[in-house]
Short mmCIF file of all heavy atoms in Angstrom, two decimals:
data_model
loop_
_atom_site.label_atom_id
_atom_site.label_comp_id
_atom_site.label_asym_id
_atom_site.label_seq_id
_atom_site.Cartn_x
_atom_site.Cartn_y
_atom_site.Cartn_z
N GLU A 632 -45.72 0.31 13.67
CA GLU A 632 -45.67 -0.28 15.01
C GLU A 632 -46.47 -1.57 14.98
O GLU A 632 -47.60 -1.60 14.51
CB GLU A 632 -46.27 0.70 16.04
CG GLU A 632 -45.43 1.96 16.19
CD GLU A 632 -46.06 2.99 17.11
OE1 GLU A 632 -47.15 2.73 17.65
OE2 GLU A 632 -45.46 4.06 17.27
N LEU A 633 -45.84 -2.61 15.48
CA LEU A 633 -46.45 -3.95 15.45
C LEU A 633 -46.77 -4.39 16.87
O LEU A 633 -46.14 -3.94 17.81
CB LEU A 633 -45.47 -4.95 14.83
CG LEU A 633 -44.94 -4.57 13.44
CD1 LEU A 633 -43.64 -5.33 13.15
CD2 LEU A 633 -45.98 -4.88 12.38
N ARG A 634 -47.70 -5.32 16.98
CA ARG A 634 -48.09 -5.87 18.29
C ARG A 634 -48.27 -4.75 19.32
O ARG A 634 -47.70 -4.76 20.41
CB ARG A 634 -47.04 -6.88 18.77
CG ARG A 634 -46.85 -8.10 17.84
CD ARG A 634 -48.11 -8.95 17.65
NE ARG A 634 -48.74 -9.35 18.88
CZ ARG A 634 -48.52 -10.48 19.53
NH1 ARG A 634 -47.67 -11.35 19.05
NH2 ARG A 634 -49.16 -10.77 20.64
N VAL A 635 -49.09 -3.76 18.92
CA VAL A 635 -49.32 -2.60 19.79
C VAL A 635 -50.38 -2.94 20.84
O VAL A 635 -51.43 -3.51 20.52
CB VAL A 635 -49.80 -1.39 18.96
CG1 VAL A 635 -50.00 -0.18 19.86
CG2 VAL A 635 -48.79 -1.08 17.86
N GLY A 636 -50.09 -2.60 22.09
CA GLY A 636 -51.05 -2.76 23.18
C GLY A 636 -51.03 -1.53 24.04
O GLY A 636 -50.45 -0.50 23.64
N VAL A 637 -51.61 -1.61 25.21
CA VAL A 637 -51.69 -0.42 26.06
C VAL A 637 -50.29 0.18 26.30
O VAL A 637 -50.08 1.37 26.14
CB VAL A 637 -52.36 -0.78 27.41
CG1 VAL A 637 -52.52 0.47 28.26
CG2 VAL A 637 -53.71 -1.43 27.15
N GLN A 638 -49.36 -0.71 26.65
CA GLN A 638 -48.01 -0.18 26.88
C GLN A 638 -46.97 -0.84 26.00
O GLN A 638 -45.78 -0.76 26.29
CB GLN A 638 -47.63 -0.41 28.35
CG GLN A 638 -48.33 0.57 29.26
CD GLN A 638 -48.19 0.17 30.70
OE1 GLN A 638 -48.07 -1.01 31.03
NE2 GLN A 638 -48.23 1.15 31.58
N GLU A 639 -47.42 -1.52 24.97
CA GLU A 639 -46.47 -2.30 24.18
C GLU A 639 -46.46 -1.90 22.72
O GLU A 639 -47.50 -1.53 22.16
CB GLU A 639 -46.80 -3.79 24.31
CG GLU A 639 -46.63 -4.31 25.71
CD GLU A 639 -47.00 -5.79 25.86
OE1 GLU A 639 -47.59 -6.37 24.93
OE2 GLU A 639 -46.66 -6.35 26.92
N LYS A 640 -45.31 -2.00 22.09
CA LYS A 640 -45.18 -1.82 20.64
C LYS A 640 -43.78 -2.25 20.21
O LYS A 640 -42.82 -2.13 20.97
CB LYS A 640 -45.43 -0.37 20.23
CG LYS A 640 -44.49 0.62 20.89
CD LYS A 640 -44.83 2.04 20.50
CE LYS A 640 -44.08 3.02 21.37
NZ LYS A 640 -44.42 4.40 21.15
N THR A 641 -43.71 -2.76 19.02
CA THR A 641 -42.42 -3.09 18.39
C THR A 641 -42.34 -2.23 17.15
O THR A 641 -43.24 -2.29 16.30
CB THR A 641 -42.39 -4.59 18.02
OG1 THR A 641 -42.53 -5.35 19.22
CG2 THR A 641 -41.10 -4.96 17.32
N ILE A 642 -41.29 -1.43 17.05
CA ILE A 642 -41.26 -0.43 15.98
C ILE A 642 -40.21 -0.78 14.92
O ILE A 642 -39.06 -1.04 15.24
CB ILE A 642 -40.89 0.97 16.53
CG1 ILE A 642 -41.79 1.32 17.73
CG2 ILE A 642 -41.00 2.03 15.45
CD1 ILE A 642 -41.25 2.47 18.57
N ASP A 655 -36.85 -1.31 16.98
CA ASP A 655 -36.85 -0.93 18.39
C ASP A 655 -37.77 -1.88 19.15
O ASP A 655 -38.98 -1.89 18.93
CB ASP A 655 -37.34 0.53 18.50
CG ASP A 655 -37.28 1.04 19.92
OD1 ASP A 655 -37.14 0.23 20.86
OD2 ASP A 655 -37.40 2.27 20.10
N ARG A 656 -37.18 -2.69 20.05
CA ARG A 656 -38.03 -3.58 20.83
C ARG A 656 -38.05 -3.19 22.32
O ARG A 656 -38.35 -4.02 23.18
CB ARG A 656 -37.65 -5.05 20.63
CG ARG A 656 -36.37 -5.50 21.29
CD ARG A 656 -36.24 -7.04 21.25
NE ARG A 656 -34.97 -7.46 21.82
CZ ARG A 656 -34.46 -8.68 21.71
NH1 ARG A 656 -35.12 -9.61 21.05
NH2 ARG A 656 -33.30 -8.98 22.26
N THR A 657 -37.72 -1.90 22.59
CA THR A 657 -37.70 -1.43 23.97
C THR A 657 -39.02 -1.72 24.69
O THR A 657 -39.03 -2.12 25.85
CB THR A 657 -37.42 0.10 24.01
OG1 THR A 657 -36.37 0.39 23.10
CG2 THR A 657 -37.04 0.55 25.41
N PHE A 658 -40.13 -1.54 23.98
CA PHE A 658 -41.44 -1.72 24.61
C PHE A 658 -42.19 -2.91 24.02
O PHE A 658 -43.42 -2.91 23.93
CB PHE A 658 -42.27 -0.43 24.47
CG PHE A 658 -41.57 0.76 25.06
CD1 PHE A 658 -41.03 1.74 24.23
CD2 PHE A 658 -41.43 0.89 26.43
CE1 PHE A 658 -40.36 2.84 24.77
CE2 PHE A 658 -40.75 1.98 26.99
CZ PHE A 658 -40.22 2.95 26.15
N SER A 659 -41.46 -3.91 23.62
CA SER A 659 -42.10 -5.05 22.92
C SER A 659 -42.88 -5.98 23.83
O SER A 659 -43.62 -6.83 23.34
CB SER A 659 -41.04 -5.88 22.19
OG SER A 659 -40.61 -5.18 21.06
N GLY A 660 -42.68 -5.85 25.13
CA GLY A 660 -43.37 -6.78 26.04
C GLY A 660 -42.41 -7.15 27.14
O GLY A 660 -41.62 -6.31 27.58
N GLN A 661 -42.46 -8.42 27.57
CA GLN A 661 -41.53 -8.82 28.65
C GLN A 661 -40.09 -8.55 28.24
O GLN A 661 -39.65 -8.91 27.15
CB GLN A 661 -41.72 -10.29 29.00
CG GLN A 661 -40.87 -10.63 30.20
CD GLN A 661 -41.48 -11.73 31.04
OE1 GLN A 661 -42.70 -11.88 31.13
NE2 GLN A 661 -40.63 -12.51 31.66
N ARG A 662 -39.37 -7.89 29.15
CA ARG A 662 -38.01 -7.47 28.82
C ARG A 662 -36.99 -8.57 29.02
O ARG A 662 -37.16 -9.41 29.92
CB ARG A 662 -37.65 -6.28 29.69
CG ARG A 662 -38.51 -5.12 29.32
CD ARG A 662 -38.42 -4.00 30.30
NE ARG A 662 -39.20 -2.91 29.70
CZ ARG A 662 -38.80 -1.65 29.67
NH1 ARG A 662 -37.69 -1.28 30.23
NH2 ARG A 662 -39.55 -0.75 29.10
N GLU A 665 -31.53 -7.01 27.86
CA GLU A 665 -31.41 -5.55 27.70
C GLU A 665 -29.97 -5.07 27.77
O GLU A 665 -29.64 -4.00 27.25
CB GLU A 665 -32.27 -4.85 28.75
CG GLU A 665 -33.74 -5.00 28.43
CD GLU A 665 -34.62 -4.22 29.39
OE1 GLU A 665 -34.42 -4.36 30.60
OE2 GLU A 665 -35.49 -3.48 28.92
N ILE A 706 -39.90 -11.40 20.38
CA ILE A 706 -40.58 -10.40 21.21
C ILE A 706 -41.58 -11.16 22.08
O ILE A 706 -42.04 -12.24 21.69
CB ILE A 706 -41.32 -9.33 20.37
CG1 ILE A 706 -42.25 -9.99 19.35
CG2 ILE A 706 -40.33 -8.40 19.68
CD1 ILE A 706 -43.22 -9.02 18.70
N PHE A 707 -41.90 -10.62 23.25
CA PHE A 707 -42.77 -11.35 24.17
C PHE A 707 -43.90 -10.45 24.68
O PHE A 707 -43.97 -10.10 25.85
CB PHE A 707 -41.92 -11.95 25.30
CG PHE A 707 -40.91 -12.93 24.75
CD1 PHE A 707 -39.62 -12.51 24.44
CD2 PHE A 707 -41.26 -14.25 24.48
CE1 PHE A 707 -38.69 -13.40 23.88
CE2 PHE A 707 -40.35 -15.14 23.92
CZ PHE A 707 -39.07 -14.72 23.62
N PRO A 708 -44.79 -10.07 23.74
CA PRO A 708 -45.89 -9.18 24.09
C PRO A 708 -47.06 -9.94 24.73
O PRO A 708 -47.08 -11.17 24.73
CB PRO A 708 -46.32 -8.62 22.73
CG PRO A 708 -45.94 -9.66 21.74
CD PRO A 708 -44.81 -10.44 22.32
N LYS A 709 -48.02 -9.18 25.23
CA LYS A 709 -49.26 -9.79 25.72
C LYS A 709 -50.09 -10.23 24.52
O LYS A 709 -50.02 -9.63 23.45
CB LYS A 709 -50.06 -8.77 26.52
CG LYS A 709 -49.36 -8.31 27.79
CD LYS A 709 -50.41 -7.74 28.75
CE LYS A 709 -49.78 -7.33 30.05
NZ LYS A 709 -49.00 -6.05 29.89
N LYS A 710 -50.92 -11.23 24.74
CA LYS A 710 -51.78 -11.74 23.69
C LYS A 710 -52.69 -10.65 23.12
O LYS A 710 -52.97 -10.60 21.92
CB LYS A 710 -52.63 -12.89 24.25
CG LYS A 710 -53.14 -13.82 23.18
CD LYS A 710 -53.83 -15.03 23.78
CE LYS A 710 -54.54 -15.84 22.71
NZ LYS A 710 -53.69 -16.12 21.54
N GLU A 711 -53.11 -9.76 24.02
CA GLU A 711 -54.04 -8.69 23.60
C GLU A 711 -53.35 -7.59 22.80
O GLU A 711 -54.02 -6.74 22.22
CB GLU A 711 -54.70 -7.99 24.81
CG GLU A 711 -55.27 -8.85 25.89
CD GLU A 711 -54.20 -9.38 26.84
OE1 GLU A 711 -53.75 -8.66 27.75
OE2 GLU A 711 -53.82 -10.57 26.65
N SER A 712 -52.05 -7.57 22.77
CA SER A 712 -51.36 -6.51 22.02
C SER A 712 -51.34 -6.88 20.54
O SER A 712 -50.41 -7.53 20.06
CB SER A 712 -49.93 -6.35 22.55
OG SER A 712 -49.96 -5.98 23.90
N THR A 713 -52.38 -6.46 19.86
CA THR A 713 -52.53 -6.90 18.46
C THR A 713 -52.60 -5.73 17.48
O THR A 713 -52.86 -5.93 16.29
CB THR A 713 -53.82 -7.73 18.30
OG1 THR A 713 -54.90 -6.95 18.79
CG2 THR A 713 -53.74 -9.04 19.07
N GLY A 714 -52.38 -4.51 17.97
CA GLY A 714 -52.52 -3.35 17.08
C GLY A 714 -51.43 -3.25 16.03
O GLY A 714 -50.31 -3.75 16.20
N ARG A 716 -49.95 -0.01 13.66
CA ARG A 716 -50.06 1.44 13.44
C ARG A 716 -49.04 1.87 12.41
O ARG A 716 -47.86 1.51 12.52
CB ARG A 716 -49.76 2.15 14.75
CG ARG A 716 -50.88 3.02 15.25
CD ARG A 716 -50.40 3.83 16.42
NE ARG A 716 -51.01 3.39 17.67
CZ ARG A 716 -50.39 3.44 18.85
NH1 ARG A 716 -49.15 3.85 18.94
NH2 ARG A 716 -51.01 3.06 19.94
#
Side-chain angles (χ1 to χ4, degrees):
E632 294 175 0
L633 305 160
R634 299 299 309 267
V635 181
V637 183
Q638 284 168 331
E639 295 178 348
K640 58 183 169 185
T641 299
I642 309 163
D655 184 345
R656 73 169 177 193
T657 316
F658 303 107
S659 286
Q661 186 149 329
R662 294 168 174 224
E665 288 185 310
I706 52 168
F707 299 93
K709 296 201 177 74
K710 202 173 171 49
E711 313 80 79
S712 299
T713 55
R716 239 189 251 147

